[in-house]
Amino acid sequence: MPVAVIKATLRLTCDQAQSPGGLADALGGPVKFWRGNPVRLQLLLNSNGDIVDIDQFASIRVEVFASQAENLAPLMSATVLKDATGWDSGCTADDWTDRTSAHAYVDFSAAETLLDLDGETSADFWIVVSVAPLADTAQRVTFGGGTLTVHEDATPGSASGAIQPGTVIPNGATYNGSGAYTLAVTAGRVYQWEPGANDTNLVNGTITLTASGATTALGSSVVLNGTPSAAVTATVRVGGFYTADDVESMFARVTAGSTDPNGAVTGKAGDLYRQKSGDAFQMWYCDGDGAGGRGTVWL
């Protein structure tokens, strides 16, 4: 009987007891697929080779990252909730072997698998399968992780998308009707912003970047502005370096104005004070223009 194929299919076993690792293709080969193709991942959860009862979990998640490094946003992510479409707690070893069922399956569209390969014919990414136990959904358990290789097939429609490996902007992100996109970040971390064709600026609290540069997140999110309803073509990566112009600009921005709301101290002529404010350092010099050579220093 002919087989119907409407998307690529990978059958992956995930053995929690084989950490680190535990993720394997059921056919014994590497985990891989063609770039820009719709893909279905079929999953079987094991522990030391024994099938796990998945009814103890609230969800099963698959995530693909640019690398194994920490604090990266996933380039691809899909979650199957307990008893929802794609969930089969009744899957047996025989069902898995004869390919009639799986514990869970997740689908990724062609747009989601259109990952940037940096001009190469293939690139390696990091794929992770984890679960959220019903007993405590916040305490996720990793069932397997490993290398995912994505290959270029050179077919039409596989032009490079806006999303680059390593960016914290999710794949497929678009500006809303007002031309804004809110991106979650970690306060205190340095981020490097590179605008693309559709991007105007990045607003980080009181700081606005209109050209490529680094900024330290002042809160839990930043706002990207660009062409309304268009794809976000910028990249935002964790880490970055301040140029001399960046430092000079930050210093001028923070020290501008005649007063500062933080308070004041009394110093003597020649005293120099330093204070960190946001992503810049303030430097204050007491000119001693008060009585007895003393003056007020605004901090």
Side-chain angles (χ1 to χ4, degrees), residues 208-235:
T208 299
L209 298 182
T210 57
S212 299
T215 186
T216 301
L218 301 180
S220 60
S221 66
V222 296
V223 177
L224 280 64
N225 293 296
T227 305
S229 303
V232 178
T233 51
T235 60

Side-chain angles (χ1 to χ4, degrees), residues 274-299:
R274 296 179 179 87
Q275 177 189 19
K276 190 172 187 304
S277 176
D279 63 353
F281 283 93
Q282 296 170 307
M283 297 182 67
W284 305 95
Y285 175 78
C286 183
D287 61 9
D289 58 357
R294 305 186 68 81
T296 298
V297 184
W298 292 92
L299 294 174

Side-chain angles (χ1 to χ4, degrees), residues 71-138:
N71 295 319
L72 296 180
L75 302 176
M76 296 166 51
S77 180
T79 300
V80 184
L81 300 178
K82 185 179 187 307
D83 297 329
T85 300
W87 184 283
D88 184 4
S89 57
C91 177
T92 66
D94 289 340
D95 294 334
W96 177 258
T97 300
D98 62 22
R99 301 191 179 191
T100 58
S101 186
H103 272 153
Y105 70 81
V106 298
D107 292 325
F108 291 105
S109 68
E112 289 176 302
T113 68
L114 197 62
L115 301 175
D116 192 285
L117 308 186
D118 197 26
E120 302 296 326
T121 57
S122 67
D124 289 339
F125 298 86
W126 182 253
I127 183 171
V128 177
V129 176
S130 62
V131 302
L134 283 171
D136 187 351
T137 57

